[in-house]
């Protein structure tokens, strides 16, 4: 259960309106969106709040509705921001795809409003409807690809030195 302040479960009609056209569910049938609305709830985190820590199990998958979130990793001596996420971005993909710890930590940069899904229930919904599950997992794969590219770019920027910096 996330540490954010809970709001009411999301009304189906409100959810469908919020998510229609979102890349994560683009082309999904209203019945699939209705099923997702049963699994989702809005949560709020204040600026500076830790949404989830790096390395720990967390069973929530999130879609950012408002505000901004930093995805970060710890390296000796400091924390490195990998990516800044905003409205319509997703985080917490590992809660759906795998058991185990998070690869990054997520920190609210502003007060943030998220749509939270229980990862295991979302995975079960994908298993129950293979057509929906396939489409959802393909889109979730794109989220993972984006995170990996952001991490690779950040590492390259951090550790590459200008030509001649090492006496070359």
């Amino acid at each position: 259960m996330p540490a954010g302040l809970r709001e009411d479960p999301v009304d189906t009609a409100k959810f469908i309106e919020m998510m229609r056209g979102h890349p994560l569910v683009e082309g999904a049938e209203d019945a699939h969106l209705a099923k997702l609305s049963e699994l989702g709830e809005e949560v709020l985190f204040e600026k500076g709040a830790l949404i989830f820590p790096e390395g720990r199990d967390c069973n929530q998958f999130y879609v950012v509705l408002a505000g901004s979130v930093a995805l970060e990793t710890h390296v000796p001596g400091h924390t490195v921001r990998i990516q800044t996420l905003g409205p319509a971005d997703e985080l917490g993909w590992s809660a759906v795809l795998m058991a185990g710890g998070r690869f990054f930590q997520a920190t609210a940069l502003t007060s943030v409003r998220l749509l939270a899904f229980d990862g295991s229930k979302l995975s079960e919904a994908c298993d129950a409807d293979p057509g929906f599950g396939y489409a959802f997992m393909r889109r979730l794969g794109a989220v993972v690809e984006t995170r990996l590219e952001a991490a690779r770019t950040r590492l390259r920027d951090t550790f590459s030195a200008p030509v001649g910096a090492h006496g070359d």
Side-chain angles (χ1 to χ4, degrees):
M1 183 176 281
L5 303 172
R6 296 266 179 206
E7 289 193 357
D8 295 328
V10 178
D11 172 79
T12 300
K14 179 182 175 185
F15 178 87
I16 290 172
E17 183 62 31
M18 281 189 309
M19 294 300 290
R20 188 174 307 286
H22 188 284
L24 189 65
V25 293
E26 186 177 350
E29 300 170 13
D30 283 352
H32 294 150
L33 292 173
K35 178 62 177 171
L36 280 175
S37 75
E38 295 170 15
L39 302 174
E41 63 183 336
E42 288 185 54
V43 293
L44 304 172
F45 289 89
E46 295 300 321
K47 179 180 179 178
L50 183 64
I51 298 167
F52 55 77
E54 181 177 1
R56 288 217 198 126
D57 289 346
C58 185
N59 63 350
Q60 298 293 310
F61 171 75
Y62 301 98
V63 174
V64 180
L65 298 174
S68 60
V69 175
L71 286 182
E72 303 163 321
T73 190
H74 297 286
V75 296
H78 63 286
T79 300
V80 176
R81 183 174 305 170
I82 299 297
Q83 193 173 21
T84 300
L85 305 176
D89 286 327
E90 305 88 0
L91 61 150
W93 58 264
S94 60
V96 181
L97 294 179
M98 57 188 274
R102 301 289 186 161
F103 290 95
F104 304 114
Q105 79 175 16
T107 305
L109 295 173
T110 64
S111 61
V112 66
R113 189 167 54 102
L114 304 169
L115 193 54
F117 297 92
D118 180 285
S120 61
K121 290 180 181 177
L122 187 51
S123 184
E124 289 170 9
C126 289
D127 289 343
D129 184 339
F132 167 72
Y134 176 75
F136 185 83
M137 289 300 174
R138 281 186 55 117
R139 290 180 182 98
L140 198 56
V143 172
V144 175
E145 178 184 15
T146 299
R147 286 302 115 67
L148 291 172
E149 181 61 27
R152 185 176 76 83
T153 299
R154 182 68 171 118
L155 287 170
R156 186 180 57 232
D157 291 348
T158 300
F159 294 107
S160 62
V163 175
H166 297 291
D168 299 337

